[in-house]
Amino acid sequence: MQHLAILPILIPLFTGALLLLPPFKDILNRQRGLALVSVTAQIIFAAMLLMTAATEGTQMYVLGDWQPPFGIVLVADRLSTMLVLLTSVLCAGALLYACAGQDKGGQYFHPLFMFQVMGINGAFLTGDIFNLFVFFEVLLIASYALLVHGGGKQKTQAAVHYVILNLIGSSLFLFGLGILYGTLGTLNIADMAIQVRHLGEAEAILAKAGGLLLLLVFGLKAALLPLHFWLPRTYSSASAPVAALFAIMTKVGIYSIFRVHTLIFGEEANLLADIALPWLWPMAMGTLAIGTLGVFASPTLRVMTANLVVISAGTLLIAAALQSEKATSAALYYMLHSTLVTGALFLIADLISRQRGKAEDRFVKSRAMAQPKLLGFAFVIAALAIIGLPPLSGFVGKVLIMRAAESTAEIIWIWPLILVSSLMGLVAISRAGTTLFWRVTTAPSSDDKAHPFEIAGIALLLAASPLLVIFGGFVTEFTADAAQQLHDLTQSVNALLPESTLHTGGDH
Amino acid sequence: MLNDLIWIPLLPLLGTLVPLFASRFSRSACAFLTAGLPALALVLVLQLAPQVFEGETVRQSFGWIPQMGLELAFRLDGLALLFTLLILGIGLLVVLYARYYLSEKDSMGKFYAYLILFMFAMLGVVMSDNLIQLWMFWELTSISSFLLISFWGHKTEARKGARMALTITGAGGLALLAGVLLIGNVVGSYSLHDVLASGDLIREHAAYPVILVLVLLGAFTKSAQFPFHFWLPHAMAAPTPVSAYLHSATMVKAGIFLMARMYPVLSGTELWFLIVSMTGLATLLLGAYVALFKHDLKGLLAYSTVSHLGLITLLLGMGTELAAVAALFHIINHATFKASLFMAAGIIDHESGSRDMRQLNGLWKYMPYTATLAMVAAAAMAGVPLLNGFLSKEMFFAETLHQDSLGSLSWMVPVFATLGGVFSVAYSLRFIHDVFFNGEPINLPKTPHEPPRYMRVPVEILVALCLLVGVLPTFVIGDLLYTASAATLQGAVPEYSLAIWHGFNFPLLMSFIALAGGIAVYVNRKELFQFQAQFPENDPKLVFEAIIQMIHKQITRFMELAENGSLQRYSYMMLSLAMVMMAKPLLDLNATAGHRPQIPVDAISITGAVLLAIGALATVIWNRQRMVALVALSVVGLIVSLMFAKFSAPDLALTQLAVEVVTVILLMLALFFLPQTTPKESSPKRVARDLGIAAVIGGVIGTISYAMMTRPLESISTFFLENSKTGGGGTNVVNVILVDFRGFDTLGEITVLGIAALGIFKLIARMRLYMPASDGDGRPWSKDSHPLMLSVVSQSLLPLALLVSAYIFLRGHNMPGGGFIAGLITSVAIIQQYIAHGVDWIKARMKLDYQLMIGSGITIAALTGLGSWFFDRPFLTSWFDHFHLPLVGEFELASAMLFDLGVYLTVVGATMLILANLGKLTTSERPVLKEHD
């Protein structure tokens, strides 16, 4: 399958376009069928791609047969294929849930959903920085539209904030790209990594401004303090399957930081080595801290989950700031875990909210839920996993990240922060859970039972948590290899630019 | 196969599922089935016991997550054996007891499942041979105990008590994690085998004090040591079988276990002695004293547990080998008598309906059999001779006499120990006298009577053990204690004697003082109660809750300040950060201008630049008058188009021009629904601030652009110029870049356009907008919305415009043009028809499904890319060739044209879907939300 690497982009693209055409147009059940088939295919091909990348090495796909650094390339290495598979699984869970009826809350849910997935997969796979911008636009514009799905003033208001901030972000992205192209003269990420080493002093300064702008833009997507403020409100007002899918969106930003600021502005970037670190450190720790406070102060389960997303972003960015193979490996594991679990938690919050009637998911006394056992079980699993208590995946991720902090200074800063954050999360979630499930007044109303599809969607996402622990050895081995691949510059550059010697750029 | 060590914890793990299925059978069957797998695990332990008694450490491990140093590793040495026996033995008794204790209303399956889960977690803790794994099970005990304590979750005290227990033990657990990780850093391994062998290494390491404090925080919180003791009494909200299990033999002993486990590694230093023994002593005294004043039976037992845990901690802290032996001995004894006492208290509660000692009096008459059992157990707790409690207390007293670490103050330790003994006797006496004698019961909800036969069996077994150990210590417990001591000390076990009689000596005297003093205190309790009544009684649960509430409030207030929901604030933060990030590197740039020769400035450029600046300024100045601002803004767009043209990019100029037209129309449509002017929202201060940021960012971007443009650049664009004709088949490089070199970007961008259209349609389909009937000055809109002149002209323009767009489309590959521009021109032509004739007129004449156009446009473009697969080429590989037809002459066909057709369709579809539908909002043809089935 020589075209395997592009399938994660093409399948959702074609699905999305087909959904707009007869015979799928306007007939919801057909749309659901096609979407589910498409997602299944995506999982299968993503898994195949991952296996190929793991066994046969990095797959490069040269679009239009224009050899890099001139044309656009897709790079399917361990890191990107892993995230593509993650996206497919998350999107399967969210889609299953949506097919139970939430896709009815407005038009074009399924096509938009597919386009969004296409954008996310494209962002993970591309090896070209302008193409990354294009896929950012695809996923963003689809997310704007999906955000208003289900209607309501609150959603529209949150969407306006989200759209405007991201438009500013996109403009800054373009500024950054312009500056980088204007100094490096190339758009291929691997080629940029080579060119950056040859920059003269003055050009390096300009490129630094561009590189930092990119950090800012990725930070905006990743919800880095002080750019994260849009997140709690946006995520908590989105409809459940959309919010679940959004769980991967912050990871796109974090992934880009890993990719760009390890490969281009990493250790070997000469004058521009590790330019992100002085900024990343305080901001990452601040993100973790404010996310924790946010969790503690959350009035509803959805807001709490959104703040948990901020926490996971902070934790991941701390790992990024550690800038070591070990830390990256830990971060990748944590990324798998936190994406799926927060996704599941958004879905669970929605079911809880529906079954509690007028109180929704606010932490107040209310009527009992119709399915307290089922939801309670799911909630406990998700809560334990996300706080990082054993025996679920969160604790593995946290311990891995803590172990990645090696110097005393790192330990002194990171450990207390992560541990205190865990403790406050524990306090907040146990309060939330006991209130939601046990402070009940009246009998439940029985007509709000969860649809089997909804349960299936949640189960799919939640099952990942114990599986990530049981097969932890295998998974961490994979993430370690992926991290090794990312940090080994010669290897990644050579894989991307077999003829890199031809185009050395030279001195400016 | 069942010989494997792993089955011992594994069987209870499987056993958690049994009650969930068995609960459909009768209660007895459910209890019986539940007990099955743990009983089997007990048999396995007993099978392995002889090996352990011979001094062997049975170990088994499997690889798990090497990256985090976690392996599945179990060990069974003397210490683990002692604890597994307690956990499984008492666990099984509790299962039997709970069968009678739980009422019909309680979900038995759930209860047993939690209980066995907890048993599994405890087994994991004591059998772990890997510290990370130990920590994993440690936290699992916190979680499962949370579920057990909050079993009656509808009661507020159960919720609060459980949360408090979880918070305190959870906090300790996290400290322990840090401690464990530090140990791993020092030793280089988490395997207990390695860690236990590295005692000196750890004690001499600089991090030792930190490790010690962290590990002890874990142990102290779990074992309810002062000042973390307060959670334990409130965990009594749990059903009594839970208390009997968790708070006698298991949960609270986990902390003690940890100290014993880490004894060879962490003990033996001054710091260890000071922290552990002083904490133990304080806990011992505090627990014993407070226990006396508790009216609640379980409250008394809870504080007594705190006190006894303090005693064991004190023993471990003393650091002598004999003291460690005594500690282990007391662990066994306390587990047996305290479990039986909790069960007895549960029986009393169950059969009389109250646990308040002010109501419970004279129960001897009603339940003499239970009373006897309870009295024997209470006597053991008090340390009465011939019972097990006496023996270990005797050893304890002896050890307090033998330590000298406090220098000249060392005498205080035995004195305080005796004082603790006094109160211990006093509260035991109160338990016996108040409940079973002391007159008649007062206002009991039920008439008390003996419990069912089998509810008593567990108590009988435990009390029998108290007696047996008390009378025949060496025979009953000797071997177990010896191997446990050997495992704890990891070395030679000192000489000790378990005899009942050691002759007249100081420890015996202390025992007698304690007994006599205890009786004296109890007799004079009225005065003591009065003294105690002067202190305001504060419920730690409420205090704890209040603290959490206060933190919650403060944080909420802070978060409201931080996340105030103001878009202006958020954009301000982002832009300031962008400003700093860009400006900071520039501070190091010495020469702004580079060495590249500059193009001479001409008058046209200057005029353009000035107009551009004026346009931008005007937009800002008149930003509150929307229409004016829009017009000013379009000036900016126009100048940018002209600049593109000037710098040899006619394609871009054309595109920009078309885009300008479409967007301005779009914005004007949108403005129709908005007020003509916006209210003044920004304070002068904020205006100044925003102006400042804008100016600096503008300056920074300007500087960067200038610096960049004055420097030479070698880029990949040379390649595009060279290969456009030969490789891409077109002389219009911009177009070839768009549809070929970077066709994939274009595919992405048309998708963006399509999505945007769908999204906007989705949004406006739900909108119900206020439609102004007049303009800003109150003049009503003209009735004649479709003037004749306009209709006629635009109608005749339509074919012309379509022809132009076809022309532009076709010539695109070699001359300025292409699908994108052609699409925009077509859109403009159609929009003009809408404007001139209105929606109704168009609807009848043009059957255009814009959604279909978007879908098929994207599909065509993508399919074009797919076509190259048939030639075994990557996606979007282009193909072109020249053909010759008579009349037409030579012409070129390229796959890029098909791609461009996709672009064209998408652009038309997308712009029209937005514009037509936004326009329709003003008419009766507003889009209706199609709610599916």
Side-chain angles (χ1 to χ4, degrees):
Chain A
M1 284 291 277
Q2 62 176 103
H3 302 294
L4 198 55
I6 200 176
L7 290 184
I9 301 173
L10 289 187
I11 296 176
L13 172 66
F14 274 109
T15 316
L18 281 179
L19 286 168
L20 295 172
L21 302 175
F24 301 103
K25 197 185 153 207
D26 295 337
I27 299 171
L28 197 56
N29 275 332
R30 288 185 191 166
Q31 292 200 341
R32 287 174 181 168
L34 180 64
L36 287 172
V37 169
S38 165
V39 164
T40 317
Q42 284 173 42
I43 293 183
I44 293 170
F45 286 116
M48 280 169 64
L49 184 58
L50 179 120
M51 291 309 290
T52 317
T55 51
E56 292 168 25
T58 304
Q59 303 289 301
M60 186 172 67
Y61 194 83
V62 183
L63 282 151
D65 222 2
W66 294 108
Q67 290 306 314
F70 310 107
I72 297 171
V73 287
L74 301 181
V75 182
D77 58 4
R78 284 168 191 264
L79 172 60
S80 53
T81 54
M82 183 189 96
L83 292 174
V84 166
L85 182 60
L86 172 67
T87 311
S88 311
V89 174
L90 178 73
C91 125
L95 189 69
L96 270 174
Y97 190 93
C99 285
Q102 294 224 344
D103 51 358
K104 278 191 267 186
Q107 282 187 308
Y108 302 130
F109 178 83
H110 290 288
L112 289 170
F113 195 87
M114 285 299 149
F115 287 134
Q116 163 119 41
V117 174
M118 169 208 171
I120 296 169
N121 283 345
F124 287 141
L125 283 171
T126 188
D128 184 284
I129 200 135
F130 188 80
N131 197 233
L132 179 69
F133 171 76
V134 171
F135 280 115
F136 261 59
E137 289 308 300
V138 174
L139 71 89
L140 279 176
I141 200 107
S143 72
Y144 302 154
L146 280 175
L147 189 53
V148 293
H149 181 77
K153 198 173 159 190
Q154 212 187 359
K155 284 197 177 86
T156 315
Q157 199 179 20
V160 167
H161 282 199
Y162 177 70
V163 170
I164 292 180
L165 288 172
N166 275 296
L167 283 180
I168 301 178
S170 295
S171 328
L172 293 176
F173 199 166
L174 274 185
F175 284 177
L177 284 185
I179 296 172
L180 288 179
Y181 185 74
T183 46
L184 301 173
T186 184
L187 293 170
N188 178 295
I189 294 179
D191 195 29
M192 291 170 86
I194 297 173
Q195 302 304 332
V196 85
R197 296 179 212 172
H198 305 298
L199 283 182
E201 208 177 333
E203 285 83 3
I205 287 172
L206 296 175
K208 187 175 180 183
L212 288 177
L213 265 189
L214 290 198
L215 178 69
L216 175 100
V217 176
F218 300 149
L220 175 70
K221 309 284 185 285
L224 186 64
L225 181 88
L227 310 167
H228 77 288
F229 291 108
W230 55 273
L231 190 141
R233 204 203 248 192
T234 310
Y235 278 38
S236 57
S237 60
S239 63
V242 174
L245 182 65
F246 280 12
I248 192 90
M249 295 258 285
T250 52
K251 273 67 179 185
V252 178
I254 291 163
Y255 161 83
S256 308
I257 292 179
F258 269 115
R259 185 65 91 190
V260 169
H261 290 274
T262 307
L263 204 55
I264 306 180
F265 303 106
E267 283 170 6
E268 293 170 46
N270 214 352
L271 291 173
L272 296 181
D274 294 335
I275 51 169
L277 293 194
W279 299 90
L280 210 48
W281 267 115
M283 295 201 292
M285 293 204 288
T287 309
L288 180 54
I290 198 141
T292 308
L293 296 181
V295 165
F296 214 84
S298 300
T300 72
L301 187 55
R302 274 178 286 200
V303 175
M304 184 177 270
T305 311
N307 277 303
L308 286 166
V309 172
V310 177
I311 289 190
S312 71
T315 314
L316 284 168
L317 290 163
I318 284 180
L322 281 169
Q323 207 39 297
S324 72
E325 233 176 89
K326 213 170 156 188
T328 307
S329 167
L332 296 183
Y333 182 93
Y334 190 81
M335 211 185 273
L336 293 175
H337 140 81
S338 65
T339 308
L340 295 173
V341 174
T342 42
L345 206 49
F346 276 119
L347 301 182
I348 296 170
D350 184 59
L351 281 185
I352 289 179
S353 169
R354 260 168 37 203
Q355 296 197 356
R356 285 177 85 228
K358 258 198 304 196
E360 293 195 335
D361 56 344
R362 283 196 303 275
F363 301 139
V364 291
K365 210 171 195 176
S366 80
R367 78 170 188 220
M369 283 169 232
Q371 295 165 297
K373 277 189 187 162
L374 177 77
L375 294 183
F377 181 71
F379 177 81
V380 167
I381 296 287
L384 290 180
I386 201 67
I387 309 167
L389 281 185
L392 293 162
S393 49
F395 101 94
V396 178
K398 270 190 185 158
V399 169
L400 284 173
I401 290 179
M402 285 172 70
R403 269 170 57 93
E406 275 167 343
S407 75
T408 312
E410 286 168 358
I411 289 177
I412 287 177
W413 280 104
I414 295 177
W415 286 17
L417 195 60
I418 290 187
L419 291 175
V420 170
S421 153
S422 299
L423 178 64
M424 291 185 66
L426 175 71
V427 174
I429 289 200
S430 63
R431 281 167 63 85
T434 46
T435 306
L436 289 175
F437 285 94
W438 288 331
R439 277 187 69 192
V440 288
T441 46
T442 46
S445 123
S446 56
D447 52 334
D448 268 331
K449 290 245 162 81
H451 190 278
F453 269 28
E454 293 174 326
I455 298 168
I458 293 174
L460 176 70
L461 300 183
L462 272 191
S465 187
L467 289 178
L468 278 173
V469 179
I470 294 171
F471 299 105
F474 176 75
V475 179
T476 49
E477 197 182 320
F478 185 88
T479 57
D481 286 344
Q484 193 260 335
Q485 212 169 38
L486 179 71
H487 284 267
D488 184 354
L489 241 62
T490 5
Q491 195 196 334
S492 28
V493 169
N494 283 345
L496 294 177
L497 288 175
E499 299 146 58
S500 60
T501 40
L502 292 178
H503 183 81
T504 44
D507 311 317
H508 294 296
Chain B
M1 188 180 87
L2 276 174
N3 284 334
D4 283 357
L5 210 50
I6 192 173
W7 284 103
I8 299 173
L10 203 58
L11 286 173
L13 176 62
L14 297 174
T16 51
L17 299 176
V18 173
L20 296 176
F21 294 105
S23 58
R24 66 193 65 175
F25 307 126
S26 76
R27 291 159 66 81
S28 298
C30 179
F32 189 75
L33 288 172
T34 303
L37 288 174
L40 195 56
L42 185 60
V43 172
L44 291 182
V45 174
L46 291 174
Q47 248 179 13
L48 288 166
Q51 266 172 283
V52 179
F53 282 137
E54 277 164 28
E56 199 183 319
T57 300
V58 189
R59 300 171 71 208
Q60 189 179 24
S61 67
F62 309 88
W64 194 358
I65 310 183
Q67 299 276 338
M68 66 183 289
L70 176 63
E71 52 180 353
L72 200 60
F74 294 101
R75 75 192 263 130
L76 191 67
D77 58 3
L79 184 63
L81 179 69
L82 166 64
F83 272 92
T84 38
L85 289 177
L86 285 178
I87 293 162
L88 287 166
I90 297 187
L92 285 169
L93 296 180
V94 169
V95 169
L96 174 61
Y97 178 78
R99 145 76 185 85
Y100 294 96
Y101 182 86
L102 291 181
S103 79
E104 296 286 344
K105 277 181 290 181
D106 298 322
S107 160
M108 202 167 190
K110 195 169 90 173
F111 180 84
Y112 276 146
Y114 291 166
L115 193 77
I116 305 296
L117 178 69
F118 177 79
M119 179 187 278
F120 160 71
M122 272 311 293
L123 285 174
V125 169
V126 299
M127 288 179 66
S128 283
D129 199 16
N130 175 293
L131 283 178
I132 299 266
Q133 184 198 320
L134 187 151
W135 179 77
M136 190 177 112
F137 282 110
W138 179 277
E139 292 296 70
L140 202 55
T141 60
S142 297
I143 297 159
S144 46
S145 70
F146 173 80
L147 294 173
L148 282 169
I149 298 172
S150 63
F151 184 71
W152 287 324
H154 53 275
K155 294 187 187 169
T156 161
E157 72 259 26
R159 290 198 300 268
K160 288 191 177 128
R163 281 207 304 254
M164 189 157 79
L166 183 67
T167 308
I168 301 298
T169 56
L174 292 170
L176 176 63
L177 173 63
V180 163
L181 289 179
L182 277 179
I183 291 178
N185 281 359
V186 173
V187 180
S189 160
Y190 296 110
S191 164
L192 256 182
H193 187 72
D194 300 333
V195 171
L196 289 180
S198 318
D200 290 331
L201 181 69
I202 294 176
R203 276 187 294 264
E204 278 155 26
H205 197 274
Y208 170 74
V210 184
I211 295 177
L212 181 66
V213 169
L214 289 171
V215 171
L216 287 180
L217 272 176
F220 288 172
T221 48
K222 202 80 158 181
S223 284
Q225 295 297 299
F226 177 80
F228 309 111
H229 62 284
F230 54 88
W231 66 265
L232 194 136
H234 293 277
M236 293 298 143
T240 303
V242 173
S243 313
Y245 195 38
L246 268 61
H247 306 136
S248 68
T250 52
M251 166 96 162
V252 293
K253 290 280 168 64
I256 302 285
F257 167 82
L258 183 70
M259 286 190 272
R261 188 43 107 200
M262 301 309 285
Y263 190 81
V265 182
L266 297 178
S267 76
T269 60
E270 190 75 356
L271 195 62
W272 165 278
F273 168 79
L274 272 178
I275 302 180
V276 179
S277 61
M278 290 304 114
T279 308
L281 187 59
T283 315
L284 163 71
L285 285 173
L286 183 86
Y289 178 75
V290 177
L292 184 60
F293 302 102
K294 289 290 150 187
H295 300 302
D296 177 10
L297 219 46
K298 277 175 84 178
L300 183 147
L301 290 178
Y303 274 100
S304 139
T305 300
V306 170
S307 156
H308 280 273
L309 292 170
L311 187 153
I312 300 172
T313 306
L314 172 56
L315 276 170
L316 286 170
M318 286 185 204
T320 62
E321 286 147 353
L322 263 176
V325 176
L328 289 170
F329 194 23
H330 200 68
I331 289 173
I332 307 174
N333 296 336
H334 175 251
T336 44
F337 67 67
K338 195 47 70 60
S340 55
L341 279 172
F342 269 119
M343 288 184 189
I347 291 176
I348 293 167
D349 184 13
H350 204 255
E351 307 306 340
S352 71
S354 170
R355 294 195 321 232
D356 192 326
M357 278 187 278
R358 287 165 297 192
Q359 290 180 300
L360 294 166
N361 293 314
L363 290 190
W364 172 259
K365 268 185 285 181
Y366 301 92
M367 38 172 75
Y369 195 83
T370 308
T372 315
L373 290 174
M375 283 192 285
V376 175
M381 173 161 78
V384 172
L386 291 182
L387 292 166
N388 58 358
F390 170 72
L391 293 175
S392 46
K393 218 166 224 185
E394 196 85 335
M395 283 170 94
F396 163 63
F397 285 146
E399 282 313 303
T400 56
L401 292 167
H402 291 151
Q403 54 74 40
D404 49 9
S405 302
L406 286 184
S408 61
L409 294 181
S410 296
W411 62 268
M412 282 186 170
V413 178
V415 171
F416 281 126
T418 317
L419 187 61
V422 168
F423 280 106
S424 166
V425 171
Y427 67 66
S428 302
L429 207 56
R430 181 169 181 222
F431 183 89
I432 296 170
H433 187 255
D434 275 20
V435 176
F436 299 113
F437 307 100
N438 201 20
E440 280 297 309
I442 304 159
N443 292 332
L444 282 183
K446 295 192 217 170
T447 313
H449 56 82
E450 287 284 355
R453 176 75 196 87
Y454 288 100
M455 194 173 183
R456 241 167 26 211
V457 169
V459 192
E460 286 164 3
I461 294 175
L462 290 168
V463 169
L465 275 175
C466 291
L467 270 166
L468 275 175
V469 174
V471 181
L472 299 167
T474 321
F475 177 72
V476 181
I477 207 81
D479 284 348
L480 185 60
L481 184 59
Y482 183 84
T483 44
S485 308
T488 307
L489 298 169
Q490 288 284 307
V493 180
E495 287 284 318
Y496 61 88
S497 145
L498 285 180
I500 305 169
W501 179 251
H502 289 106
F504 288 106
N505 53 12
F506 261 112
L508 191 68
L509 177 65
M510 287 160 79
S511 281
F512 273 111
I513 295 176
L515 275 176
I519 294 168
V521 168
Y522 181 68
V523 170
N524 299 307
R525 64 187 182 279
K526 287 236 169 59
E527 284 76 16
L528 215 55
F529 272 71
Q530 269 164 11
F531 171 73
Q532 188 61 21
Q534 299 167 30
F535 296 97
E537 192 160 357
N538 47 8
D539 186 346
K541 197 170 56 199
L542 298 180
V543 175
F544 181 81
E545 195 62 26
I547 292 174
I548 298 277
Q549 295 278 8
M550 195 193 69
I551 297 176
H552 181 260
K553 215 157 126 191
Q554 294 296 338
I555 292 180
T556 309
R557 192 180 299 165
F558 171 76
M559 287 307 284
E560 273 164 8
L561 282 178
E563 269 173 38
N564 64 351
S566 151
L567 178 62
Q568 285 77 3
R569 153 101 66 100
Y570 301 165
S571 343
Y572 162 69
M573 287 192 182
M574 176 154 69
L575 289 170
S576 330
L577 189 63
M579 180 181 81
V580 178
M581 278 182 157
M582 280 191 294
K584 196 163 171 283
L586 290 187
L587 298 178
D588 299 326
L589 186 67
N590 296 323
T592 315
H595 308 297
R596 185 167 158 175
Q598 298 188 12
I599 309 170
V601 190
D602 54 42
I604 300 178
S605 303
I606 291 185
T607 320
V610 170
L611 279 175
L612 187 75
I614 292 176
L617 279 176
T619 314
V620 174
I621 292 169
W622 283 292
N623 76 82
R624 288 182 45 237
Q625 293 170 22
R626 290 177 162 142
M627 192 66 193
V628 181
L630 182 61
V631 172
L633 194 62
S634 67
V635 172
V636 176
L638 196 66
I639 303 288
V640 171
S641 314
L642 291 175
M643 277 190 185
F644 284 144
K646 180 172 161 47
F647 290 108
S648 341
D651 272 276
L652 294 186
L654 268 175
T655 315
Q656 180 71 27
L657 208 59
V659 168
E660 280 296 318
V661 173
V662 175
T663 33
V664 168
I665 296 177
L666 184 72
L667 279 172
M668 284 171 69
L669 262 175
L671 284 187
F672 172 72
F673 299 101
L674 297 171
Q676 299 288 305
T677 55
T678 55
K680 200 169 184 173
E681 276 160 342
S682 304
S683 62
K685 216 163 100 188
R686 183 176 279 175
V687 171
R689 178 195 81 179
D690 293 350
L691 271 177
I693 292 187
V696 176
I697 290 187
V700 169
I701 295 276
T703 311
I704 293 177
S705 310
Y706 183 72
M708 238 164 32
M709 284 188 282
T710 50
R711 285 175 165 76
L713 173 72
E714 192 176 305
S715 77
I716 52 171
S717 44
T718 342
F719 174 87
F720 297 140
L721 290 171
E722 284 163 6
N723 288 279
S724 174
K725 178 75 183 155
T726 49
T731 48
N732 179 356
V733 185
V734 174
N735 184 270
V736 177
I737 289 178
L738 282 178
V739 297
D740 198 341
F741 290 123
R742 300 193 68 91
F744 195 53
D745 280 345
T746 311
L747 182 62
E749 288 298 352
I750 60 169
T751 316
V752 168
L753 197 58
I755 302 170
L758 298 179
I760 291 173
F761 182 75
K762 187 182 171 75
L763 184 68
I764 56 185
R766 279 192 171 273
M767 255 178 208
R768 294 292 170 263
L769 293 175
Y770 163 73
M771 250 186 289
S774 61
D775 72 357
D777 301 329
R779 288 170 299 195
W781 295 113
S782 159
K783 288 273 187 300
D784 183 16
S785 49
H786 309 298
L788 189 63
M789 275 291 279
L790 187 63
S791 318
V792 174
V793 173
S794 58
Q795 214 167 328
S796 52
L797 265 176
L798 180 65
L800 209 59
L802 289 180
L803 204 62
V804 169
S805 84
Y807 171 71
I808 294 268
F809 176 84
L810 285 174
R811 67 178 220 151
H813 220 44
N814 292 311
M815 306 283 279
F820 201 89
I821 306 173
L824 286 173
I825 294 175
T826 309
S827 304
V828 172
I830 303 177
I831 293 165
Q832 204 178 16
Q833 305 309 311
Y834 272 102
I835 297 174
H837 299 287
V839 177
D840 300 330
W841 191 88
I842 299 282
K843 205 186 158 199
R845 287 164 182 78
M846 278 207 269
K847 297 259 182 289
L848 288 177
D849 185 336
Y850 301 123
Q851 176 190 331
L852 211 64
M853 284 174 86
I854 298 174
S856 48
I858 297 176
T859 313
I860 289 173
L863 278 177
T864 313
L866 220 53
S868 47
W869 286 12
F870 294 104
F871 304 94
D872 218 15
R873 289 283 175 192
F875 190 70
L876 275 177
T877 307
S878 62
W879 162 90
F880 64 95
D881 208 346
H882 294 263
F883 297 90
H884 193 85
L885 271 184
L887 289 178
V888 181
E890 187 172 302
F891 64 99
E892 186 188 347
L893 276 182
S895 61
M897 292 175 81
L898 201 58
F899 184 80
D900 238 4
L901 179 67
V903 175
Y904 173 82
L905 284 175
T906 315
V907 170
V908 176
T911 40
M912 290 317 298
L913 189 67
I914 302 172
L915 279 167
N917 285 304
L918 202 56
K920 272 189 204 166
L921 275 183
T922 60
T923 70
S924 55
E925 292 286 329
R926 12 172 99 204
V928 231
L929 178 65
K930 270 180 254 171
E931 295 286 359
H932 301 278
D933 45 30

